[in-house]
Structure formats: C-alpha cells, structure tokens
Amino acid sequence: MNPRLALLSTAASGTPESEVFRLALQHAAGELCALGGMIHLCGPTSGLCLASAVGLPSALTGSWEIIDEKSPLAPARALRRGAALWLPPLPAEAADSPGPTTGMAALPVSGGGRIMGTLTVLTGDRSEPTPEQWDFLRAVVAWAEERMARAPKMSEFVPKDPDGDRSRQNVPGLRVGWWDWNLQTDELIWDAAVMELYGSKSADFTGKVQDWMHVLHPDDLAPTMAEAQRAIREHSVYEAVYRVRRLDGTYGWSRARGMPTYDDSGRPLRMVGVRWENSESLSARDALSRALRQMGDGFLAVDAKWRVIFTNLEAEHAMGLSQDETFGRVLWDLPAARRIKGLERRCRKAAAEKKPVSFDALMPDTGRRYRLRLVPGPVGCALYLSDVTEKLRMQEERRAAERAASERAAQIMELTAALAKATTSQDVVDAVARRVLPPFDAVGLMVQAIEGNRLLNVGSVGYADDFLDVVNDRVAAGTSPSWQVVSSGVPAFLSSRQEYAAYAPDHADLPAIADKQAWAFLPLTASGRTFGVCVVSFDRPRRLTDDERSLLTTISALVAQALERARLYDAERVRSRELQRSLLPTGLPDLAACVTAARYLPAGQGMDVGGDWYDVIPLSSGQVALVVGDVMGHGLPEAAAMGRLRTAVRTLADLELPPDEIMGHLNDIVGEMGDESYVTCLYALYDSTTQVCSITHAGHPPPALVYPDGTVRFPELGADPPLGAAEPPFETVELTVPEGTLVVLYTDGLVESAKRDIDTGMADLARLLRTAHADGGDADLERLCDTLTAGLLPAEHQAADDAAVLVARLHALNADRMASWPLTEEPKAASLARRYVREQLSVWGLDDLTSTTELLASELVGNVVRHAKGPVSLRLLHGAELICEVFDGSLTMPRMRRAADTDEGGRGLQLITALSQRWGSRYTAKGKCIWTEQALHGLDGRGNQSSDALELMLLSTGGFDGTEGLDVDLNAPSSGEGER
C-alpha cells in the first residue's frame, strides 16, 4: 500500500472537512512533486467556489475563487466531463492566458450521489501523470469523499441551550442586518449592520460573494453552500448557522435566513434575507436563533413585496399570531396590523424616502402601547416594536423614591448579615459589591488599607488593573482624596470630575484613568483608628442626597468593623499556611527503590489550614517508608500537631521499627495531646529486595495500587480507628507487588466532600488512574499528580478540606544484584565471608571496594560468631550503593562507646564508622541485621579516615584469620560484660 495512503488512513474519524481538504491536497501534491493544489466546491448557482488551497500564493488563487462551470479552466472542464482531466503546460506565448500556465491534473469529487466539486493539482512543467499517479489521485479523492461523509456536521458544534428557562429570557440590544445576493452575477449587498457584524471594512468590501466566503470558517463553507443550493433547488427558505471570523481573528456564531426569488421561467434571480449574531444559546427545536427570537423588542422583517419573512416571539405576542401563521403573508393583511392606523401609508412612505420613521401605536384589544420604528433596507423593511406601556405608567417620583428607600433598607439588612458571615478581606469586598453598588446605581468599589506609607488595594470591583497599579504605586500624599479622608476621618462626596479636580488638583488625572464621574470616599475606622478608605464610584455625575450620604456613612462603619476582623483572620491564616508549608517536605528524595511525586492543596478561601501531611523516608537495604496522614480539624494547633507527628514518624522510622510498632507509638503520642485529638495515618514499608509492601493504617483510606497491566486495586485493610481512639496492636497487611507498580497514598480531602461520599471519590480516583495508565499519562508522576488534583478537586469548586496525595512507582532490586550466603557459627566464618565478598565483588566489577568490604564483613561476622547466636548469614546488595548485611539470631543491638587507651576491644564500631558511608542495625523476624553502606565510587573524600582505621586495626590485631583481632562485641550493650 502506498505510504501516503497508509498515512491518510490513520486520520481520525470525524476529521473536519477543512482538515480533510488540506491533507488530501498536501499528499496529492507531494506524490506528484507538484507545485500545489486546490479544491473547489459547487456553489449555489453555476459556479465553483474555492474551498482550500495548498502551496499556492493568494495572488494566484484570487482569480480562481469563483469559476464559472462553463469556463475552459481545468476544474470546470473536469466537472462537466465528470471524469479525470489532464491539461498540459501552456507554451510561453500563452503566458497571458487567465490562471496558471502549468500542467494541471483535475478530478471530480462526489458526495451524496452527485458531483460536489473538483480536486486540481498544478504539476508545473512536468508531463502527464503516470497511470500509477492517476490511481493514487483517484484513491486520494475516494479517501476525501469517504472522510467528508463522516465529517462532523455544523449542528454538532452549535452550542445547545443548557437551561430551558434561559430560552425565555429577553436578549436586549441584539443586532440584525440585511443582505441581498444576486444569484446571476454573484454581486452581494450588505447593509451597515451586516458589515459591522462580519467585522468588514468598507474599503475592503468588493461587493462580491467572495467577501462572505472569506469570513466563513473553513469547516462551515461546504455545508453552508450546500444549504444555499438546497434552498434554491427546492424553492424553500434558506436558513444556516455558521461561524464567521472577527477582526481579532476569533470566530463567532452567526445565523442567517433568506428567501430566493425567481423569474417567470423559474431561473433563480436573487436571495434576500437577514443575518444576526448567534451569541446566545440555541434551542435544538427552533429553527431561528434563540438570541433573536427572545429579543426584548418585537422584530419583523418583510421583503420588497411587504411579505413577512421573519418574526420573533415578542412580535408574535404583539400580533397574536405565530411565525408559521405570519410567514409569507403581506404585512397589512395581518389582523393586528390592520388595527394600527396609518401603518401601510407610513411604511410605504418610509420605503420611498429610504428614511427611518418612528411613531406610537395602541393595540385596542390588549390596551398595550407600542413604539414602532420602521427601517428601510436594500430590499424590504424592518419593523421594531417596543412595548412602552410600563415605562409610561411609572412616572410618580415619590412612589419610586419610597420604593427605593425600602429596597435600600433591605439591602442594608442583607449587608449586615453578609458582613457577619464574611471571613476574609475578599469576602467583605464581595459582600459590599453585591449589596451596596446596585441600590445606589454605582459601578465601582475600591477598598484600600494603610500599609506602611502607602494605601494599598485590598479588593476592588469595576476598576481596570492598570488603574489599580497606578493607585498602589503612589506613596503617602496628603493631597489625594483617599489620604485626606484617612487623615481627617471625614467622608468626601465628589459629584463630578470638576469637583474631584478642585478637591485634589495634584491627582486630577485619576478620574480619566479610572473612567469614573462621581465618588464617595468613606473612611474606615475601627477601635478609634482610621486604617483605610472605601471608595464608591459612579459612571455618571451623581449628587447624592443627604439621606444617601448618611446611609453610606453608616455602611462604612459596618464595613470597617468587618474588614478589621477579616484582616486579623487573613494574617493568622497566612501565618498558619506558612507554618504548614514549612512543616511539609521541601523536596522528595531520589531513590532507586521508588520514584515519587506529591501535591498538597490547602482548603478553599475562608477555611483555616489543616493538618494533612506526607513523607518519603529512605531506610536501609533498599527499603523506603511512604507515609500520609491527616490531623482532623483546621487551625494553627492542627498544623503544629502535624509537624510533631511528622517528626515523630521520621524518628521512629529511622529506628527501623516494624510498621505496627511505629503506629502504636504514634497512637501514644496522639493520646497525650488530649481527648479531642484524632489523627488518621497510613504507613507503607516497601522492601525492594523482596518486593513486599507492608501496610499499616489507623482510620485512613486505603492506598490505590495500579498494577503494570492497568488494574487498579484498593487493598482491604483492617478497620483500625484513628490514632487517639485506637487500641493497639495494629494490623499489618503484606502485599507482593510487581515491578513498576504505582502506589497512590492520599488523604480524605482528595476523595470526600459534602457533595461526594468517599466511595464515590475512590471510584473517581480509580477511573482517573485507569485512564491515565491507558493514555500513558502515568509515566510522568508530576503530570499524574496534576491530573488527579484537577479531576478530583477542580479549581472552580472551593474545597472545604485540605488534601495531600503521594504517588510512588515501586522498583525492585534485580536478583543478579543480590547475593547471600549462610555461615556457620565457627571461627572460620569470617574467612569464608571475606572469600564470598571478594568473589562476588569481582563478578560485579567492584574490585576497588573489595578490601574495604572484606574488612567490614570480617569484623561483623567475627563478632557475631563470638558474641551472638545463629543462624548467621551474609548478604550483599548492589544498588545505588553497596550494602553489606550480616544477620544473626540475637536481639541485642550494638552500641558505640569510647574505648580507653588500655582497652583491647571496643573499637569495632569506630572502625565500621570509618570504613563505611553509614551503618545501622534493625530487628528481623528471627533476630537482627547489622548493615553497612558504601558509595560505589570510593568513600567521598573519607580515604584518610579509612587509612587511619586500617592502621588502628593492624596495630591491635595480629592478623585476619578467623575472628582474631577484630572481635569487638557488636551485640553487647555499651556497659555489658562481653565487650573488651
């Protein structure tokens, strides 16, 4: 199969038509090594319209945008023949011929059982395509036809009405325009409204249908032209929804409706109609735009013969007839129109004079009064009906003033209640903006507070960011209105820009920058101290009455009290969050046993900090501890408790205690905090040498395990209650996990909320993990964390609880990187250990570490044989570091002590400390393990210490056979009898 056809076959089903055209042209031109190509679609009349071009400059394609079907050009000839066509290059003397002079291969493109266009390839000076190339072009055309049939329809992109009630709301200010399309000459007339709606400039308008095609979205060109063809062919109404390009390059929805006209022989002459913006939601049922249909004013459109071609809902209501009952009828024949005296005369006069005319009319049957406005168009007339009945009734100023006063009193009550609930400074600003600005017809609010020698913005509404930056940048200036009000504690009411300039001449530039006309500067005073100012502004000159000024002054006192309280809360919340973040890990360790990523998300605005935490704790011998916990409640005490518990967990984990014992110690710590302290915690210990993950929890949700095959599982854990209420012992669940398994630890804030129970949240988490695995999104753990938090805690929904999530991908230590040997409880065990070490390190290519590791193994094994009990074994781990482990059956842990000059022993641990990067011991199921860790590339600058230790060892021993010399008891207590 041709590679290009194979590549095209991979295109997704539902690819837009514009993309289908582009791909087809690119590959057709590439296969023939051509200059470029074009696709034309059949227009509504007898022309071909350019739909797509590749590799050709606009100067060349401009003359090919509309091609008459009778034209001698290749696309038109291929359309007439209904078959492929080859035109050789024109000779040099024919260079003045219209269009390109190159060779052209053209093929018809079919759809819906008829030819719908052509595909043309400009081959340059090359000869006719070979049979194989013709077959390729036909295959490309077939592919394009098949994909065009499966391309998404325009209706799939049209926004649906999400709320049926919205469809009944009025849409004021909707713009409607007229258009007139000459179907014989393709001349196009747009009125000023259409020019504005299409974002076209008069200088750029050519009066051709190409002007309309240029602003159409590429994906909408073909279906829109097809709809025009249908309307002309069926003598029916043309109605289409499509996207048009605005001046800023973006696209907006547009809706058009028109009716074709014909001569006596049935030949189409013109199509006349209206066009309007489709910015509102659409109904799947209505053919007309909801926006235009629900316009607050009534609207009718009539053609040149005064036949109604469109009515909206308000006009239907006024006329008492539906759109179906009015469509196609002469305006004067409508019963309601006959009751309007002089309507026909005035309409005909306005059309003759081509001047708009307005007059009032009374509907006798309803008693409602309408203001009618007739606007003549190029062909036809538009009639607007505005119901002014209610406007004429509301004339009494006293009743309006009393009603306004009552509304303001209710607003003050609502404001008082809202301020009492406000927690943060932004809550205060929002409450004032919602409940103070509307009753006073104000458009701007700015709350400023003193910070040092500046008045900084605390919150604002109705101001641009540029203006706020200017205000914040101005230092203390006694001449500004805000500072004068703060200094005097007396409000200032400025009713115009002239009053503002007179009050603060040094800042007379601010009104123009803010685009405001009147202001009320209200001091914010609490506890006898003025700490800020509240500025209410208006977009027109406004002289407030005495009652209004008194009311605003009262409001400012309420705002000051609420804002002072909120600022104290904000300060405490900031300190709490800073404390909380300082207690969380600043970075996660880079470990061979696992790769990790984590996120902490604080609760939403208005909530105190919580006590969620996570941690990754590296342990010995390829082990790592994964911890997540949640201190129930919010506030500084909870954040401090979280810090104490995280420190305790790290300390207990460093002692390498079993998970259930660690949880028991944490339970004791929480119990000492008080009866009201409850903490949930989950501790997972992973051993990369055995691939066993041991999990212990206390009232915490189980982790999510994502296996390499994409299966998501939540292991069943015991029903242990939270720390502080639990009774040890705690149950430990051991799981064997495959290489690459993903472990997700989280707090309940990630999966549980007031609107979602924890089971649903865990199901959502599992779904996100499965999807991420299927899409490969879990390869990057940082990206996976973002996916989980965005999917479970979307930014637009304020969380009531903080959340933590820790993701770890577990890796096993390969078997060929581990070696272990059982040892006898005989003196020769040390010698065998040295031999095993020497041989294994040679296999691993770590000969540089042989001598040091031999000494470490000999010292550990020799003392185990002498002072401990069996069984004894040796294990080497070759991971990021070289780890040497000696196991025995004793439970006595080694302790380092300072040996006196005369002591023969007691220097063993000092030797181990000098020779290794670090060392330690841990309990096992059958005793204990003492381990050492060495860097794979030397001892990082500690060579002098190793040499000193070796010299000390040689001075105190007579050799290395058996256990002679290096026999310090690593199993005896610091004051025990076994150490010498």
Side-chain angles (χ1 to χ4, degrees):
M1 184 178 185
N2 185 287
R4 293 184 182 273
L5 294 177
L7 184 61
L8 286 174
S9 67
T10 63
S13 178
T15 302
E17 288 182 341
S18 61
E19 183 68 6
V20 171
F21 295 164
R22 183 185 66 80
L23 289 173
L25 289 175
Q26 283 184 342
H27 287 281
E31 181 72 12
L32 273 64
C33 299
L35 302 176
M38 297 175 286
I39 287 182
H40 287 79
L41 298 177
C42 293
T45 55
S46 61
L48 285 170
C49 304
L50 180 63
S52 183
V54 168
L56 304 177
S58 58
L60 187 148
T61 60
S63 61
W64 285 55
E65 288 186 341
I66 301 292
I67 300 177
D68 191 88
E69 289 186 3
K70 299 178 181 180
S71 168
L73 297 178
R77 295 174 65 178
L79 181 68
R80 293 195 301 271
R81 289 182 56 179
L85 172 75
W86 160 252
L87 290 183
L90 294 177
E93 57 269 23
D96 294 335
S97 300
T101 60
T102 74
M104 285 177 283
L107 299 91
V109 179
S110 301
R114 60 188 181 86
I115 298 177
M116 58 180 299
T118 60
L119 181 148
T120 306
V121 179
L122 281 68
T123 61
D125 56 359
R126 297 180 179 272
S127 60
E128 181 177 358
T130 65
E132 291 78 11
Q133 290 175 330
W134 278 115
D135 290 341
F136 175 83
L137 291 177
R138 292 186 181 95
V140 169
V141 168
W143 174 86
E145 293 170 348
E146 185 264 341
R147 291 309 168 106
M148 288 171 62
R150 293 157 56 184
K153 303 301 184 288
M154 273 195 305
S155 59
E156 298 175 18
F157 297 102
V158 179
K160 299 299 186 294
D161 192 352
D163 186 354
D165 292 337
R166 281 194 64 193
S167 64
R168 290 186 288 275
Q169 296 177 359
N170 290 335
V171 183
L174 192 65
R175 297 172 297 170
V176 182
W178 286 83
W179 52 268
D180 183 358
W181 182 5
N182 189 320
L183 299 178
Q184 297 297 315
T185 64
D186 277 334
E187 293 178 346
L188 189 64
I189 299 175
W190 286 348
D191 69 356
V194 174
M195 294 280 286
E196 179 183 359
L197 294 172
Y198 280 149
S200 299
K201 299 178 180 178
S202 300
D204 300 332
F205 184 68
T206 64
K208 290 290 185 179
V209 74
Q210 289 95 318
D211 293 320
W212 175 58
M213 295 170 56
H214 286 163
V215 298
L216 269 178
H217 192 284
D219 291 343
D220 298 344
L221 177 60
T224 303
M225 301 294 285
E227 172 61 18
Q229 285 183 312
R230 183 203 60 77
I232 295 172
R233 186 172 60 251
E234 300 177 0
H235 291 230
S236 62
V237 176
Y238 164 72
E239 191 168 19
V241 182
Y242 46 81
R243 290 163 286 185
V244 294
R245 186 179 65 250
R246 304 187 181 99
L247 288 177
D248 60 1
T250 62
Y251 284 88
W253 285 101
S254 173
R255 186 177 282 266
R257 180 181 172 93
M259 175 72 77
T261 60
Y262 307 85
D263 60 14
D264 295 336
S265 63
R267 187 178 61 168
L269 296 178
R270 315 176 74 87
M271 185 183 291
V272 181
V274 293
R275 182 269 184 202
W276 63 95
E277 279 186 319
N278 197 35
S279 58
E280 286 294 311
S281 299
L282 301 179
S283 169
R285 180 182 61 84
D286 293 332
L288 292 179
S289 164
R290 288 287 186 189
L292 183 61
R293 291 278 289 164
Q294 309 302 326
M295 190 169 65
D297 292 339
F299 175 79
L300 293 90
V302 296
D303 62 13
K305 296 183 179 179
W306 302 99
R307 292 174 299 189
V308 177
I309 60 175
F310 180 83
T311 58
N312 69 355
L313 290 178
E314 185 64 22
E316 291 178 15
H317 177 72
M319 295 295 178
L321 296 173
S322 67
Q323 182 176 232
D324 294 337
E325 295 172 322
T326 59
F327 188 78
R329 296 177 63 180
V330 177
L331 179 62
W332 340 117
D333 295 338
L334 300 179
R338 287 199 299 267
R339 291 193 290 269
I340 301 177
K341 295 181 180 180
L343 176 62
E344 180 178 356
R345 175 180 53 81
R346 297 185 189 213
C347 288
R348 294 187 182 279
K349 180 179 179 181
E353 296 177 354
K354 297 183 179 180
K355 293 182 180 180
V357 61
S358 299
F359 62 96
D360 290 346
L362 176 66
M363 294 292 185
D365 54 338
T366 62
R368 306 198 67 82
R369 186 174 295 275
Y370 289 85
R371 178 155 298 162
L372 277 64
R373 184 167 182 262
L374 300 170
V375 181
V379 179
C381 185
L383 179 64
Y384 296 86
L385 300 88
S386 299
D387 189 344
V388 296
T389 306
E390 299 303 324
K391 181 185 295 185
L392 298 176
R393 290 179 180 177
M394 299 174 64
Q395 300 294 331
E396 297 183 7
E397 294 184 359
R398 180 177 301 178
R399 293 178 56 188
E402 291 175 352
R403 183 169 56 254
S406 176
E407 292 175 353
R408 288 170 187 166
Q411 291 286 343
I412 292 301
M413 294 179 63
E414 293 180 6
L415 175 63
T416 303
L419 291 177
K421 298 177 182 178
T423 306
T424 65
S425 300
Q426 189 59 48
D427 292 340
V428 174
V429 175
D430 293 341
V432 175
R434 287 194 299 267
R435 293 170 175 82
V436 175
L437 299 187
F440 289 90
D441 293 328
V443 297
L445 172 70
M446 183 168 56
V447 178
Q448 297 173 286
I450 298 175
E451 296 288 346
N453 65 340
R454 297 175 185 269
L455 270 174
L456 297 182
N457 181 50
V458 174
S460 64
V461 173
Y463 285 94
D465 292 339
D466 294 343
F467 173 77
L468 298 176
D469 293 339
V470 171
V471 173
N472 287 334
D473 287 342
R474 299 202 175 184
V475 299
T479 57
S480 73
S482 296
W483 276 108
Q484 292 187 54
V485 168
V486 170
S487 301
S488 65
V490 177
F493 302 96
L494 308 176
S495 60
S496 64
R497 290 187 177 182
Q498 292 75 16
E499 289 189 14
Y500 189 104
Y503 187 82
D506 296 339
H507 303 272
D509 59 323
L510 290 181
I513 299 175
D515 193 23
K516 299 294 184 289
Q517 300 283 345
W519 302 262
F521 291 88
L522 310 169
L524 298 177
T525 303
S527 303
R529 181 180 65 90
T530 301
F531 63 89
V533 61
C534 176
V535 183
V536 179
S537 55
F538 306 86
D539 60 354
R540 57 184 177 83
R542 177 86 150 82
R543 185 171 299 279
L544 298 172
T545 65
D546 292 342
D547 291 341
E548 290 173 331
R549 296 185 179 193
S550 176
L551 189 57
L552 285 175
T553 303
T554 302
I555 289 174
S556 68
L558 298 174
V559 173
Q561 296 293 334
L563 188 61
E564 180 74 3
R565 183 179 65 254
R567 294 181 71 203
L568 293 175
Y569 172 81
D570 288 342
E572 179 182 355
R573 191 164 183 264
V574 169
R575 289 192 297 269
S576 300
R577 291 201 168 179
E578 290 177 350
L579 171 62
Q580 188 174 41
R581 288 192 176 93
S582 68
L583 295 175
L584 290 172
T586 56
L588 298 178
D590 186 11
L591 304 174
C594 66
V595 180
T596 57
R599 292 288 185 276
Y600 170 76
L601 287 83
Q605 184 77 12
M607 299 297 298
D608 279 333
V609 296
D612 290 16
W613 91 91
Y614 60 87
D615 212 342
V616 178
I617 308 172
L619 301 176
S620 65
S621 305
Q623 298 183 104
V624 60
L626 307 173
V627 190
V628 66
D630 182 4
V631 179
M632 297 182 184
H634 296 84
L636 274 176
E638 284 73 16
M642 178 267 287
R644 291 177 58 190
L645 291 174
R646 178 170 174 260
T647 303
V649 171
R650 292 194 69 92
T651 302
L652 294 169
D654 286 340
L655 295 176
E656 303 207 59
L657 299 176
D660 57 334
E661 291 188 25
I662 290 178
M663 202 63 70
H665 287 297
L666 291 179
N667 188 62
D668 294 338
I669 295 173
V670 174
E672 295 173 357
M673 292 181 180
D675 295 338
E676 297 182 357
S677 296
Y678 291 94
V679 179
T680 65
C681 182
L682 187 142
Y683 185 96
L685 176 64
Y686 173 65
D687 189 341
S688 63
T689 66
T690 62
Q691 294 182 251
V692 172
C693 185
S694 303
I695 304 173
T696 301
H697 84 121
H700 203 85
L705 301 181
V706 185
Y707 292 93
D709 63 356
T711 302
V712 179
R713 176 189 170 198
F714 293 94
E716 294 184 5
L717 306 179
D720 288 326
L723 298 174
E727 290 291 339
F730 291 88
E731 180 183 354
T732 299
V733 176
E734 293 188 351
L735 304 171
T736 299
V737 292
E739 161 69 22
T741 296
L742 203 64
V743 180
V744 181
L745 284 69
Y746 53 91
T747 59
D748 59 354
L750 184 72
V751 296
E752 187 177 23
S753 67
K755 297 181 179 180
R756 179 179 59 194
D757 59 53
I758 192 168
D759 291 335
T760 302
M762 291 171 62
D764 292 341
L765 172 61
R767 174 180 53 78
L768 291 173
L769 291 172
R770 282 192 293 268
T771 302
H773 179 84
D775 298 341
D778 62 349
D780 184 348
L781 298 190
E782 295 292 340
R783 178 183 169 192
L784 178 60
C785 285
D786 293 335
T787 299
L788 296 180
T789 54
L792 296 170
L793 299 173
E796 62 270 18
H797 295 121
Q798 179 170 296
D801 193 9
D802 52 346
V805 58
L806 173 63
V807 181
R809 188 178 300 283
L810 306 181
H811 297 294
L813 184 63
N814 294 335
D816 59 357
R817 293 300 186 98
M818 296 184 287
S820 61
W821 304 269
L823 298 174
T824 63
E825 299 179 55
E826 300 175 1
K828 66 177 182 180
S831 177
L832 288 173
R834 291 196 296 275
R835 191 186 78 189
Y836 293 150
V837 167
R838 185 166 53 252
E839 293 173 352
Q840 186 61 47
L841 294 189
S842 177
V843 173
W844 285 342
L846 301 177
D847 298 302
D848 293 343
L849 298 178
T850 299
S851 59
T852 305
T853 310
E854 281 189 70
L855 296 178
L856 290 171
S858 180
E859 174 66 22
L860 296 176
V861 173
N863 281 276
V864 166
V865 171
R866 172 166 297 194
H867 301 290
K869 62 180 181 179
V872 182
S873 63
L874 170 69
R875 184 168 74 161
L876 294 179
L877 303 177
H878 180 196
E881 298 86 13
L882 178 62
I883 299 172
C884 177
E885 299 176 318
V886 175
F887 297 84
D888 63 62
S890 173
L891 296 176
T892 305
M893 288 294 183
R895 298 290 185 269
M896 183 181 290
R897 69 177 179 83
R898 182 179 296 277
D901 294 339
T902 58
D903 289 345
E904 296 183 8
R907 297 181 178 85
L909 293 184
Q910 297 177 26
L911 272 172
I912 292 173
T913 301
L915 293 173
S916 62
Q917 184 170 269
R918 67 187 185 113
W919 69 275
S921 60
R922 66 178 182 274
Y923 289 109
T924 65
K926 298 180 180 181
K928 71 173 182 297
C929 170
I930 305 176
W931 55 269
T932 65
E933 184 179 292
Q934 303 173 75
L936 294 181
H937 305 288
L939 296 175
D940 299 333
R942 299 177 62 181
N944 292 335
Q945 300 180 41
S946 300
S947 298
D948 295 342
L950 182 57
E951 181 180 353
L952 174 61
M953 181 185 67
L954 293 174
L955 289 175
S956 61
T957 65
F960 297 105
D961 294 334
T963 59
E964 295 177 7
L966 303 180
D967 55 2
V968 177
D969 183 6
L970 302 182
N971 299 282
S974 59
S975 58
E977 297 177 358
E979 195 172 81
R980 62 180 182 86

